[in-house]
Amino acid sequence: MKLTPEQRAQFERDGYLFFPGHFSPEETRALTDAVPDLYSKREAFNVREKGSDAVRTNFAAHLISEPFARLARHPRMVEPVMDLFGEEVYMHQFKINGKMAFEGDVWQWHQDYGTWLNDDLMPTERAMNVAIFLDEVNEHNGPLMFIPGSHRKGVVDAKHDLMTTSYPLWTVDNDLIRQLVDRAGGKGHYDAAGRHVGGGIVSPKGPAGSMILFHSCLVHASGSNLSPFNRVAVYLSLCAVSNHIRRHKRPEYIAHRNFAPIELLPDDCLLKPYPVEVPWKNGLPESALQTSLEVLETAEA
């Protein structure tokens, strides 16, 4: 899957690309059917909401579940990122975020690369997120919010928020958010037909199976889900192989340590049982919980 010149220009300008209905209902169902079993496991890789049993984030499903192991090798998802980087990529992180009905909490304003730099010592921002909707995303169930063009600011100052939610995050100061939103268009306006036009915050919405590529420096957030509709989405963080992390401060189920290039499967891999390895199917190995503050030399890594 190659990006058009227009898509590449849009990505450089806005920091994201949106592909509504990128995966068919049958392909998406192969993934959604596997989520309940993953969420039911009482393992460290399931982070639950503060004061609730609802899963906030499931990590490393591609090492546990065959459908998600196939998704991790899907050309429709991996090839556009390789195209933008001009290089092979590896899986830095794999999450299934469960912003569940009535219980899904906020994700504060942040850049993903801020966490990867501060915690993992990832050398540059040559890494990218791919989000795939497993549920319909609408204005009611806590959609992602992007500040278009904010990736061009580069890495911004962030503080480590350990209190707001159950998952610590390097978050961006409110004053800077105001500046970035104003620069991107502020509140926008309504046209004669009553449609909102412009504005410094956008929220891609669409059916299950939709996909978003977004830059690792793009500032983003999402509100709580007070609706009766789940908003489960997969987030795959793909990193250029030459840009692999240099520290294992976080457990391996959060920040992966296999820097081998992703080997792609055929395009119909969500519909056919192509063989894949799922090494953590029977539980997390002890090594996946070990951490270190040692800085790795490139050759050693």
Side-chain angles (χ1 to χ4, degrees):
M1 179 183 168
K2 295 289 186 181
L3 298 176
T4 66
E6 293 77 16
Q7 288 171 324
R8 296 176 72 92
Q10 180 184 343
F11 183 83
E12 292 297 326
R13 182 186 71 243
D14 297 334
Y16 73 95
L17 291 171
F18 183 40
F19 302 86
H22 197 58
F23 292 91
S24 70
E26 293 75 20
E27 291 172 316
T28 308
R29 194 174 306 118
L31 302 171
T32 55
D33 287 349
V35 171
D37 180 60
L38 286 167
Y39 277 10
S40 71
K41 298 180 186 299
R42 295 288 168 176
E43 294 271 11
F45 55 66
N46 275 330
V47 178
R48 299 181 187 273
E49 296 284 11
K50 204 171 187 177
S52 167
D53 200 46
V55 171
R56 177 177 178 82
T57 295
N58 165 277
F59 286 102
H62 67 306
L63 301 177
I64 302 161
S65 163
E66 289 189 9
F68 288 102
R70 296 186 186 102
L71 177 67
R73 298 161 174 80
H74 203 296
R76 228 178 295 161
M77 179 200 70
V78 178
E79 284 183 343
V81 180
M82 292 172 56
D83 189 26
L84 284 167
F85 289 154
E87 183 180 347
E88 291 183 303
V89 296
Y90 79 94
M91 187 69 67
H92 170 60
Q93 193 173 76
F94 193 113
K95 298 179 295 187
I96 307 174
N97 283 0
K99 194 175 284 267
M100 308 308 288
F102 302 115
E103 298 186 277
D105 206 351
V106 303
W107 286 88
Q108 311 94 299
W109 286 107
H110 66 284
Q111 295 176 310
D112 287 307
Y113 181 60
T115 297
W116 304 340
L117 173 64
N118 287 307
D119 287 346
D120 306 324
L121 295 188
M122 185 181 287
T124 75
E125 60 269 29
R126 283 175 59 78
M128 192 183 310
N129 277 318
V130 183
I132 298 166
F133 300 172
L134 298 190
D135 292 305
E136 176 191 351
V137 175
N138 56 49
E139 62 269 31
H140 307 297
N141 60 355
L144 276 168
M145 297 185 290
F146 295 143
I147 303 177
S150 56
H151 65 298
R152 288 180 275 139
K153 184 80 173 175
V155 182
V156 301
D157 290 338
K159 63 180 180 180
H160 207 196
D161 184 347
L162 303 171
M163 301 298 294
T164 303
T165 68
S166 62
Y167 185 70
L169 208 61
W170 288 88
T171 61
V172 180
D173 180 81
N174 287 345
D175 287 337
L176 181 54
I177 295 300
R178 289 189 187 96
Q179 294 173 29
L180 292 172
V181 171
D182 285 344
R183 189 181 74 171
K187 293 182 179 179
H189 64 279
Y190 288 90
D191 63 16
R195 294 170 297 198
H196 189 260
V197 179
I201 300 176
V202 298
S203 289
K205 297 177 284 288
S210 298
M211 184 176 86
I212 312 173
L213 305 182
F214 61 101
H215 195 284
S216 59
C217 285
L218 189 68
V219 179
H220 61 287
S222 63
S224 59
N225 182 7
L226 299 179
S227 79
F229 316 120
N230 289 340
R231 197 223 75 179
V232 179
V234 187
Y235 292 82
L236 305 98
S237 303
L238 305 178
C239 183
V241 170
S242 64
N243 191 48
H244 62 76
I245 62 174
R246 301 299 198 264
R247 182 168 67 185
H248 300 328
K249 180 182 177 181
R250 300 194 289 172
E252 187 179 4
Y253 67 86
I254 296 179
H256 299 304
R257 302 169 189 177
N258 181 356
F259 307 142
I262 293 173
E263 296 183 6
L264 299 179
L265 290 174
D267 189 76
D268 60 354
C269 62
L270 292 178
L271 302 175
K272 295 183 179 179
Y274 292 97
V276 286
E277 292 184 7
V278 281
W280 296 357
K281 185 176 184 178
N282 296 319
L284 282 178
E286 190 174 325
S287 61
L289 301 172
Q290 295 172 355
T291 60
S292 171
L293 294 178
E294 180 184 358
V295 178
L296 301 176
E297 297 294 336
T298 304
E300 179 188 359

